[in-house]
Amino acid sequence: MFRALPPVLARPSGTVRTCVLLVLLAATGIAILELVREQTGTPGFFVGLGLALLPVPLLMAAFRWLGRAAPAPWPQLLFCFGWGACTAALIAILANSFATEWIAAATADPSDADQLGSVAIAPVVEESAKAAALLLVFVFRRRHFTGPADGFVVAGFTATGFAFTENILYLGNAFGEDLAKGTGMLNSITAATFFVRIVVSPFAHPLFTVFTGLGFGAAALSARRRSRIGLPLLGLALAMGLHALWNSSSRVGEYGFYLVYGCVMVPVFGLLLSLAVRIRRRRLRAVAGELAVYAAAGWLGPAEVPALASMPARSLARSLARRSGGRAAGRAVALYEADAAALALLRNRARRGGPGREPDFAGRERELLDRLWLRRATAGPALSRAAVMEELLPPWFDPLPRPGAAPGAVPAGVPVPRRAGDAGNRTGGADARSAGGLLRRSGPWRSATPAGPPSSRPCVLPGGDGVR
């Protein structure tokens, strides 16, 4: 007979994992700050810190914008930034230093060691260290890692943190050299380093790591074990290759940097930017199509769907709620919008991938529906008004449903919400009841109709492309 594992061997809880990661980030953060200060000197450290901070808010805002259609929790994004700035940076500095010293001792040529280390060692070490954050989120926070958009955002925040610490080191060292030589500001190494790293190429590290994030995002959509392993490795290999090419650009001739920058980095940046915009639009279209199903079942008001599929309308709804009900009302609307988007994408993934893609679809759907129902009284009117003000509705459309009005035909696979006067109804659990009796297990691939003769009506998704 098999015996249960003792408590010490059981899988640690989420709280324990969080505490361990926070301690790790704190320890590596203290270590990397002291290490960088030791290499740059105290004046160089503070100058580098101030200059390196400048692009961080812009990069974080750009990646946050991409993920706004279904925003990831801020604690997760801040963890990724901290991992890149502290843990990954410390691993990279120690491993790169050790490898360079070992190569120099083996070849007796420090210049060749520096060149080989920057082209062959640094890309492998740095991209692997950054990829560890993506792996942790992919494994332990799969609920919030559902596709390429999430990979884009997580990779961007991780690489932004890494570039922040690396910029402190480069700018601090440059300032220390300028102090030693007494160089003027305009002709200083600090100004040249600032121009190259902050003005010209602030997106370099995020650009590399985004390929790893896209690999993990594609793996999240795949049901094949081979793809879930191979796609992240492919993305990591592309990130390492592009990183190595970038590092070698200054060593292949006088115009090597400009050649690689103009012919490789800028086109790749434009390609990824267009891909990011396309991913964001596809997510918003999926939100509109899937939420229309829940609106038909009575979970959402008809006017809420176009508002939830429009980022300006979402922002306006939060502003309207804060104006009328304070910060708490604005926060409730923000949570309502995030849960609605998560519900739409959950149904979209499950409908496209089948039961194997989302085995716990019913429980997760019910959890999100319950949270929407609790905040609908606050969020619904704000979103409906925002839809009217943003002119997302035809002039004849009445955004306010009549009291007691019954929903239209309920699509197959969607539970029915509890309504005033319904006796014995429950809103929690997968065995929720409707006015007609028990519902079968919900699922976009299996009908969840009231008890009785099975419905023969096909599931037609409003706003979609026909019968599903």
Side-chain angles (χ1 to χ4, degrees):
M1 295 179 61
F2 292 98
R3 297 182 180 180
L5 291 174
V8 293
L9 297 179
R11 184 176 181 178
S13 65
T15 303
V16 173
R17 292 197 301 269
T18 301
C19 292
V20 170
L21 290 175
L22 289 177
V23 170
L24 176 63
L25 288 180
T28 55
I30 294 172
I32 192 65
L33 287 176
E34 178 58 26
L35 185 59
V36 172
R37 190 199 64 79
E38 181 181 344
Q39 294 190 20
T40 61
T42 301
F45 172 79
F46 283 107
V47 170
L49 177 64
L51 295 176
L53 273 173
L54 295 178
V56 170
L58 297 177
L59 290 171
M60 294 176 70
F63 286 108
R64 183 65 173 172
W65 172 86
L66 171 61
R68 288 297 295 173
W74 267 111
Q76 175 178 300
L77 298 180
L78 293 178
F79 160 75
C80 293
F81 180 85
W83 181 278
C86 301
T87 310
L90 181 62
I91 293 172
I93 288 179
L94 296 178
N96 289 338
S97 299
F98 173 79
T100 302
E101 292 175 3
W102 182 82
I103 295 172
T107 61
D109 189 344
S111 62
D112 285 348
D114 288 339
Q115 181 173 354
L116 184 60
S118 65
V119 175
I121 304 299
V124 175
V125 172
E126 294 175 9
E127 295 307 322
S128 298
K130 288 182 283 183
L134 281 70
L135 179 62
L136 289 173
V137 176
F138 183 79
V139 172
F140 295 108
R141 289 292 183 269
R142 284 295 296 275
R143 178 177 291 185
H144 301 297
F145 204 127
T146 58
D150 298 306
F152 227 113
V153 175
V154 171
F157 269 77
T158 305
T160 298
F162 185 91
F164 167 66
T165 301
E166 190 178 71
N167 286 337
I168 297 175
L169 183 62
Y170 277 86
L171 291 165
N173 284 331
F175 183 77
E177 291 185 33
D178 290 333
L179 280 182
K181 297 177 180 179
T183 309
M185 179 60 67
L186 294 179
N187 298 323
S188 65
I189 302 175
T190 305
T193 304
F194 179 85
F195 178 75
V196 171
R197 299 192 65 87
I198 306 300
V199 178
V200 175
S201 59
F203 57 83
H205 271 288
L207 193 66
F208 308 147
T209 314
V210 156
F211 283 99
T212 308
L214 291 175
F216 276 103
L221 297 178
S222 177
R224 300 174 59 186
R225 180 180 179 85
R226 182 180 301 177
S227 298
R228 289 200 301 270
I229 297 174
L231 290 173
L233 292 177
L234 176 61
L236 179 60
L238 291 174
M240 291 176 181
L242 188 60
H243 194 159
L245 179 63
W246 174 251
N247 284 2
S248 65
S249 62
S250 60
R251 304 177 184 273
V252 294
E254 182 179 358
Y255 301 102
F257 172 81
Y258 302 101
L259 184 65
V260 172
Y261 184 83
C263 297
V264 178
M265 298 294 288
V266 172
V268 171
F269 176 78
L271 178 64
L272 290 178
L273 180 61
S274 63
L275 178 62
V277 173
R278 182 178 179 183
I279 290 174
R280 190 175 188 263
R281 289 176 177 172
R282 288 184 62 183
R283 273 198 157 189
L284 290 175
R285 285 197 297 268
V287 167
E290 303 296 347
L291 289 186
V293 180
Y294 293 99
W299 287 101
L300 305 171
E304 296 177 43
V305 176
L308 288 168
S310 166
M311 300 310 299
R314 287 196 204 179
S315 178
L316 178 58
R318 295 193 297 270
S319 298
L320 293 172
R322 282 193 298 268
R323 195 179 307 166
S324 60
R327 295 180 61 182
R331 176 64 175 166
V333 174
L335 293 174
Y336 186 90
E337 292 170 351
D339 288 338
L343 175 65
L345 297 178
L346 173 74
R347 180 179 174 85
N348 184 261
R349 291 191 309 273
R351 182 171 53 78
R352 293 169 60 185
R357 177 73 58 82
E358 295 291 340
D360 191 35
F361 172 83
R364 177 66 174 152
E365 180 194 44
R366 177 57 64 180
E367 175 188 347
L368 291 169
L369 287 174
D370 288 346
R371 280 157 42 179
L372 289 175
W373 197 252
L374 289 174
R375 300 187 180 101
R376 185 182 177 187
T378 301
L383 286 165
S384 299
R385 186 179 176 191
V388 174
M389 295 176 68
E390 287 290 324
E391 299 181 351
L392 302 176
L393 303 171
W396 47 264
F397 188 86
D398 182 8
L400 300 177
R402 296 188 304 275
V410 179
V414 179
V416 180
R418 182 178 63 181
R419 299 193 169 275
D422 289 349
N425 289 357
R426 298 167 56 191
T427 59
D431 296 329
R433 298 173 185 270
S434 71
L438 283 172
L439 289 175
R440 299 174 187 165
R441 180 177 175 84
S442 178
W445 52 83
R446 178 178 178 182
S447 298
T449 54
S455 172
S456 59
R457 190 179 189 280
C459 177
V460 180
L461 302 188
D465 53 0
V467 179
R468 309 280 176 157

